[in-house]
Amino acid sequence: MNILKNDEAIQQLKNAKRIAVLTGAGVSAESGIPTFRGEEGLWTKLSPHEMASFEAFYNNTAIVSEWYHHRREIIDKSNPNPGHYALKELQDLTEDFSLITQNVDGLHQRAGSTDVIELHGNIMENYCINCNRQFSHEEFDEIYRHNSNHIPHCFCGGLIRPNVVWFGEQLPEESIKKAYQAAIRSEVFLSVGTSAQVAPASDLPRHAKQNGSYLIEINPNQTAISDIVSLRFEGLSGDILPMFVEDLKEILSNNQQTVR
Ligand code: OAD
């Protein structure tokens, strides 16, 4: 169903040489990974400060580690959905494309997207807080399973933590720098599946818009940036993004035929 054909959004995407996309938990919702806010969101049952802070990890290592292990297991069993694949295709169709994500699940990369800017880290990676040794998901799993008290220790004795950004921690410097640069130089900025409530990621769409970018939001619900976007698509990213890409490909191939 090509409801978007010749739509303003497709024209903007077609004409743009530089596109930046910010994704949030909603993009992975259709892969079966819970979001943070909303009715079924993780933060409606748990407090971020009890689960997603260094203090919580240090004081309740077993509980916090178990929760991350549980989330890793869900992610490990899940697969990218049509929204992830559509963004990979959009990257292939665009001269200068930046994919910025707040997600830690690595599903964009599993769908084939490259150079993904991960603002909040990657949950499948772990490291020792003492010697900084890195542990892959498999290595960590091995240590975790053989540890009856569920407190994962490195060979040096230090605690092993997930490579995610917790509340109160700095975002990876290089990632946030690249994200700002991408937002500012973008001609079209897509904000997809994020409630846009957590800074500094939530500042990116505003920066893009202030610098002249055409701001499009895809989300079934209103968000903190809905009132400033140029265009809003109220729906699921797994439905809307593939439609964007299909329509875009069709228009591009029609244009090629015309030129010949
Ligand atoms: P949220 O859980 O805050 O928001 C998810 C958004 O996705 C909501 O606006 C939903 O309406 C929308 N949504 C749900 N299903 C969707 C679908 N199928 N397609 C499109 N949109 C859908 O998640 P984030 O905005 O990503 O940070 O949260 C930002 C940060 O807050 C997270 O990275 C995490 C969290 O605390 C840290 O842990 C540091």
Side-chain angles (χ1 to χ4, degrees):
M1 189 173 57
N2 285 348
I3 56 162
L4 302 169
K5 193 174 309 180
N6 295 327
D7 193 280
E8 174 76 13
I10 303 303
Q11 290 304 322
Q12 291 286 343
L13 288 169
K14 179 179 102 61
N15 295 335
K17 287 194 171 54
R18 298 180 300 280
I19 298 176
V21 183
L22 172 68
T23 63
V27 163
S28 294
E30 290 158 86
S31 294
I33 299 172
T35 60
F36 293 94
R37 297 170 185 83
E39 269 173 39
E40 296 296 314
L42 294 171
W43 296 156
T44 54
K45 296 170 199 121
L46 299 160
S47 140
H49 297 285
E50 279 167 22
M51 287 296 163
S53 70
F54 184 77
E55 205 185 357
F57 170 73
Y58 202 74
N59 294 330
N60 291 307
T61 310
I63 293 171
V64 172
S65 297
E66 197 168 338
W67 188 62
Y68 277 90
H69 187 65
H70 171 67
R71 286 179 58 199
R72 268 193 292 271
E73 282 185 332
I74 295 174
I75 292 165
D76 208 27
K77 287 188 198 118
S78 67
N79 290 305
N81 66 57
H84 295 108
Y85 288 112
L87 287 174
K88 189 260 182 271
E89 281 202 78
L90 190 57
Q91 176 168 38
D92 294 342
L93 294 168
T94 310
E95 211 171 289
D96 177 342
F97 183 85
S98 302
L99 179 53
I100 308 158
T101 190
Q102 298 163 87
N103 298 345
V104 295
D105 55 33
L107 287 184
H108 286 305
Q109 291 90 330
R110 279 168 57 193
S113 291
T114 52
D115 303 319
V116 181
I117 302 171
E118 291 180 316
L119 292 181
H120 293 166
N122 190 311
I123 199 172
M124 302 314 257
E125 300 164 1
N126 297 273
Y127 67 92
C128 169
I129 63 168
N130 183 43
C131 72
N132 208 30
R133 185 190 165 117
Q134 314 287 306
F135 292 85
S136 69
H137 175 48
E138 292 74 21
E139 287 169 324
F140 178 84
D141 214 37
E142 187 69 16
I143 292 172
Y144 192 78
R145 276 194 290 112
H146 289 105
N147 182 323
S148 53
N149 62 10
H150 285 178
I151 298 184
H153 281 108
C154 175
F155 307 111
C156 79
L159 290 172
I160 307 174
R161 62 165 283 178
N163 183 22
V164 297
V165 177
W166 280 327
F167 285 96
E169 293 184 328
Q170 297 287 322
L171 272 67
E173 204 178 315
E174 194 58 23
S175 302
I176 191 67
K177 195 172 137 198
K178 278 188 187 165
Y180 270 105
Q181 286 169 346
I184 287 167
R185 73 169 182 272
S186 68
E187 291 165 274
V188 174
F189 189 100
L190 289 169
S191 179
V192 191
T194 176
S195 61
Q197 288 188 41
V198 176
S202 56
D203 297 332
L204 294 168
R206 290 179 199 282
H207 276 279
K209 179 157 182 167
Q210 278 159 12
N211 284 276
S213 192
Y214 188 84
L215 187 52
I216 301 174
E217 176 169 67
I218 301 175
N219 199 308
N221 300 303
Q222 292 278 325
T223 74
I225 57 156
S226 295
D227 58 338
I228 63 151
V229 301
S230 317
L231 209 52
R232 220 182 104 65
F233 288 87
E234 213 161 281
L236 308 181
S237 50
D239 293 336
I240 309 275
L241 285 169
M243 283 197 270
F244 271 12
V245 170
E246 280 319 302
D247 287 357
L248 190 58
K249 283 198 305 201
E250 201 177 315
I251 288 182
L252 290 173
S253 86
N254 286 346
N255 279 5
Q256 274 178 357
Q257 280 162 19
T258 315
V259 171
R260 271 190 215 127

